[in-house]
Amino acid sequence: QVQLAESGGGLVPPGGSLRLSCKASGEPFNAYSVGWFRQAPGSEREFVAGVKGYSGATFYADSVKGRFTVSRDNSRKTVDLQMNSLKHEDTAIYYCAADRRLITSSIRLPGQYDYWGQGTQVTVSS
């Protein structure tokens, strides 16, 4: 099992940048695939970006491709989400999630993850 904790959220103007971090504790982390999801008020939780365990392959939602970058450091048990060129519509609570049995085709599906963090608020506003 792993426990997850997000950090790095905050208030940023449009066009600005933030770096979110997901810190894992518990068993070795390199086998876990990790996804970043977000949920805005009144909306369903949606996939933002993900990184596979072992291979480190990365995946992005079309809405963030070219602006967000996901990276992992297994020695530190962290997965970061660098967010650039932020827009108003990026405002949401951001969650990281992990699962060690995830197949590639499921990485965008929140229901396939066993472990979740508590979330961190990102607000893009002038």
Side-chain angles (χ1 to χ4, degrees):
Q1 292 187 349
V2 294
Q3 294 78 44
L4 305 174
E6 304 93 339
S7 62
L11 173 65
V12 61
S17 298
L18 277 176
R19 189 176 184 89
L20 306 183
S21 186
C22 176
K23 173 70 173 176
S25 59
E27 64 182 36
F29 191 54
N30 57 321
Y32 282 80
S33 295
V34 176
W36 281 97
F37 294 82
R38 66 188 182 187
Q39 188 165 20
S43 299
E44 293 187 354
R45 194 167 295 190
E46 66 172 358
F47 172 78
V48 176
V51 56
K52 285 295 299 290
Y54 292 125
S55 72
T58 57
F59 305 84
Y60 297 93
D62 287 344
S63 59
V64 307
K65 203 170 293 183
R67 300 189 297 123
F68 291 12
T69 302
V70 62
S71 60
R72 69 186 298 157
D73 184 335
N74 289 328
S75 65
R76 296 175 56 240
K77 294 186 179 180
T78 58
V79 174
D80 290 351
L81 183 68
Q82 177 66 42
M83 305 187 296
N84 299 327
S85 302
L86 283 161
K87 305 175 181 180
H88 288 290
E89 51 264 41
D90 294 317
T91 295
I93 300 174
Y94 283 70
Y95 301 89
C96 66
D99 194 279
R100 67 176 299 163
R101 297 180 304 274
L102 213 61
I103 59 175
T104 300
S105 60
S106 296
I107 200 165
R108 291 175 169 81
L109 304 177
Q112 297 298 309
Y113 290 80
D114 282 344
Y115 305 104
W116 288 83
Q118 293 300 305
T120 186
Q121 176 71 48
V122 171
T123 303
V124 184
S125 175
S126 53

